[in-house]
Amino acid sequence: GQQVMQIPQYQHVQEGEDFTTYCNSSTTLSNIQWYKQRPGGHPVFLIQLVKSGEVKKQKRLTFQFGEAKKNSSLHITATQTTDVGTYFCAGYSGYSTLTFGKGTMLLVSP
Amino acid sequence: NAGVTQTPKFRVLKTGQSMTLLCAQDMNHEYMYWYRQDPGMGLRLIHYSVGEGTTAKGEVPDGYNVSRLKKQNFLLGLESAAPSQTSVYFCASTQRNRGEQYFGPGTRLTVT
C-alpha cells in the first residue's frame, strides 16, 4: 500500500532559527496536505498543494510540492514559540482516503 | 457551528468490555473518518464513510466496527476491548472528495 515518510522525526531549535520538514511518498499523489497538531490537541489543516512544482506561502511558512508529485516540504522561517507542535503531511493517491506521515515534532526554545 | 464533536473525551475500559465512540458534525459533510493515533505512529485510518449508510475499511480495521445511520453521525464500536486498542481516537470529516479534513478533539481510551 501507499507509504508516506516524513523526516526528521523530531527537531529542537532556538527561537529565530529556521526549520524544514520533508515528506516523501512511495506513489504519485493527487494532492498533498499539511496539518499541525499542538501538544494535547487535534490536527488542524494548514494547506493543500495540487499542482506539480507548486509553492505556497503562509506568512513565515513555505510549502512546496515536488515536480513528480511524490515529495513535499514545509519550511518555517524564523521560528517562534507558537510554532511548537507536530507537523504532518498527508497525501491522497486513491479515491478518498488520506495517508499520513508519522509527523515531525518541533520544539522551539526561547 | 460546533464543527466536529466527539464523546466521550476520556474512557477507561477493562479487557473484554465494549463501548461506542460517537462522532457528530454539523457541517453537512459527506465523508467521515475514524483514526487512531499512537506515539510515533502518526494517524492511521480505521474505517471511513463516503455517505450516509455506507462504510469501508481503512488501514487498521480489525477489532472495530462502524455505522453511519445518519449523515451527521459516525459511530465507532469496540466489541471486546484489548490493551492494544489503548490509543487516542480522532474523528474527521470533509465536504468533498480529497478535501481538507476537519478533526474532532479526540477520545483518549485506555484498556487495562
Side-chain angles (χ1 to χ4, degrees):
Chain A
Q2 180 192 7
Q3 289 186 324
V4 175
M5 290 145 287
Q6 207 173 336
I7 56 169
Q9 272 191 299
Y10 171 85
Q11 188 150 5
H12 185 180
V13 301
Q14 293 294 121
E15 192 171 23
E17 292 181 337
D18 292 356
F19 160 78
T20 304
T21 173
Y22 300 91
C23 183
N24 286 284
S25 171
S26 58
T27 60
T28 301
L29 300 171
S30 58
N31 67 34
I32 194 156
Q33 300 180 356
W34 286 89
Y35 292 79
K36 177 183 178 181
Q37 183 176 24
R38 295 182 187 275
H42 59 275
V44 175
F45 174 79
L46 292 176
I47 207 161
Q48 176 171 281
L49 304 171
V50 178
K51 298 177 184 176
S52 170
E54 189 170 13
V55 178
K56 286 189 176 181
K57 292 191 176 185
Q58 287 180 348
K59 296 183 180 179
R60 295 178 294 104
L61 279 61
T62 302
F63 303 85
Q64 293 189 325
F65 200 10
E67 293 290 340
K69 300 184 76 173
K70 294 180 75 172
N71 57 74
S72 181
S73 64
L74 158 59
H75 179 82
I76 303 178
T77 303
T79 55
Q80 299 176 356
T81 54
T82 53
D83 296 325
V84 164
T86 300
Y87 293 85
F88 292 96
C89 63
Y92 282 105
S93 65
Y95 177 65
S96 57
T97 60
L98 268 178
T99 299
F100 281 81
K102 293 184 179 180
T104 296
M105 183 184 296
L106 172 64
L107 183 61
V108 181
S109 295
Chain B
N1 284 355
V4 180
T5 57
Q6 292 182 234
T7 52
K9 288 185 168 50
F10 304 93
R11 186 73 185 268
V12 178
L13 286 180
K14 292 188 187 320
T15 297
Q17 287 184 321
S18 63
M19 78 164 294
T20 300
L21 284 69
L22 171 63
C23 175
Q25 52 93 4
D26 62 1
M27 298 175 282
N28 202 35
H29 285 177
E30 289 291 337
Y31 301 80
M32 296 186 75
Y33 306 83
W34 276 108
Y35 296 92
R36 60 176 290 172
Q37 185 174 39
D38 303 294
M41 296 296 291
L43 290 150
R44 293 184 292 169
L45 182 64
I46 304 171
H47 286 281
Y48 65 102
S49 168
V50 300
E52 182 179 317
T54 73
T55 63
K57 293 180 180 180
E59 180 188 354
V60 289
D62 294 343
Y64 305 95
N65 56 74
V66 288
S67 64
R68 182 106 182 263
L69 299 179
K70 292 183 178 181
K71 186 177 183 179
Q72 63 267 34
N73 296 337
F74 195 27
L75 279 64
L76 178 71
L78 286 74
E79 289 187 351
S80 180
S84 60
Q85 293 177 305
T86 293
S87 188
V88 180
Y89 291 86
F90 287 103
C91 175
S93 70
T94 186
Q95 169 61 21
R96 56 186 178 88
N97 186 26
R98 300 178 184 171
E100 65 271 26
Q101 296 191 5
Y102 294 82
F103 283 79
T107 294
R108 187 173 296 274
L109 175 66
T110 301
V111 183
T112 60

